[in-house]
Amino acid sequence: MTPRVTWRQALSWRLERHLLGAEKGDDAADVVRRLCAVQAQVPSSAELAIRIRCASSRVGSLAAALREGRLIRTWAMRGTLHLLSPEEGGIFLSLIAARKPWEGPGWVKWFGMTPEVVAAMVDAAREALDGRELTREELIGAITSRTKLRHLAGPLRESWGTALKPLAWQGELCFGAGTGGRATFRHPASSPRWRGLPPIEEAAPAAIEAYLGAYGPATIDNFHSWTQWTASKRMLRSWWNAERDRMAEVELDGERAFVMADDLDSLLAAQPTDAVRLVPGFDQWVLGLGTNDPHVVPPARRSAVSRQSGWISPAVLAGGVVSGTWQLEGDTVRVEWFLEAGSAPNAALDEEVARLSRIVGRSLVADVTASGT
């Protein structure tokens, strides 16, 4: 008989896995490993996402982890910047490398990047970054010094760095510490912890196990949403089905989802919670399942959370459900509480704002208003 779990139980269990409950992470690297990755397109949001999950942290702890090679910052899932651990990050990059998105026709059309050109870029970048950290211009100069790569000078200077992503996806490039406000690049192997990209037959099972450990109970659609075009649905399905013997199926208020079999007992023992948490923009709590997951983001409120130009709003969680949004204006945390979530839990919000005050190191106050649909 399929075990039955309520969504309130499931979200409570997931909050603990996300270090948003009683358990906290040891440091930035610990948090990133627990979440598989942390979206880092907006550095301040990434740092806050980590600090709210740590038992203790200080300003600059993320920068120190990057500088010391305990974390790397690179283009990963969905083509966006992520923080990855050098030990396990190659697992997720391997999913992208298995599909080879840079071999699609668009890369030739837009950038003149055939598979042969990409291979030559990899060789040039590997040589240029061997034991060195280069600015973008220095790296572009090293790549385009090769005759067959000179036509890439324009595409490589494109503001979003798209033409550099195939190097990152193959584990041949990540961001450096930066200098004078300019981005720099280095090879991930500059970290002695870097383990490279394992073969896909090893990476896929490890990635699924890590994902379900952080975001379960989940479905293959959730996994696909997290990876998006990182891998095709057909590839994901084959990897997913190969791991079914190590999964446990559960019934969630009549719906079907999966966790790793080793996690089933702790899931069944989870107790529902009404805990209130403030998470920053682009938080993994929202991105890991996708903004179209109705159990985390109410469908009527998706536009308030997932805004124009891919912006993901800071969210107020109540029992794991997005029940409002917030923003910091000076020393005021302005909360827009969703009316349909019931009465605003003012005492819990004040307590959470007090916790945020301790994290950012200054006194904050809450200003709560109700927001209708």
Side-chain angles (χ1 to χ4, degrees), residues 6-35:
T6 67
W7 269 110
R8 291 194 67 210
Q9 277 182 282
L11 292 175
S12 175
W13 183 81
R14 195 184 293 161
L15 283 168
E16 290 295 331
R17 306 294 283 198
H18 269 243
L19 303 170
L20 291 171
E23 184 181 355
K24 297 298 178 186
D26 295 329
D27 56 21
D30 183 35
V31 172
V32 170
R33 282 193 298 270
R34 286 287 294 265
L35 301 181

Side-chain angles (χ1 to χ4, degrees), residues 46-57:
E47 182 167 23
L48 186 56
I50 289 169
R51 295 190 68 199
I52 63 172
R53 291 170 164 90
C54 285
S56 63
S57 68

Side-chain angles (χ1 to χ4, degrees), residues 301 323 335-340 342-344 367-373:
R301 293 296 187 166
S323 300
V335 174
E336 288 195 18
W337 181 261
F338 299 158
L339 276 174
E340 65 273 18
S343 300
D367 178 29
V368 183
T369 59
S371 172
T373 55

Side-chain angles (χ1 to χ4, degrees), residues 281-327:
F282 300 94
D283 195 81
Q284 289 302 120
W285 182 263
V286 174
L287 292 176
L289 277 296
T291 59
N292 61 344
D293 188 297
H295 307 290
V296 171
V297 180
R301 293 296 187 166
R302 188 180 181 190
S303 62
V305 176
S306 181
R307 307 182 74 88
Q308 291 183 345
S309 303
W311 187 264
I312 305 298
S313 300
V316 183
L317 309 180
V321 178
V322 175
S323 300
T325 59
W326 66 278
Q327 58 182 326

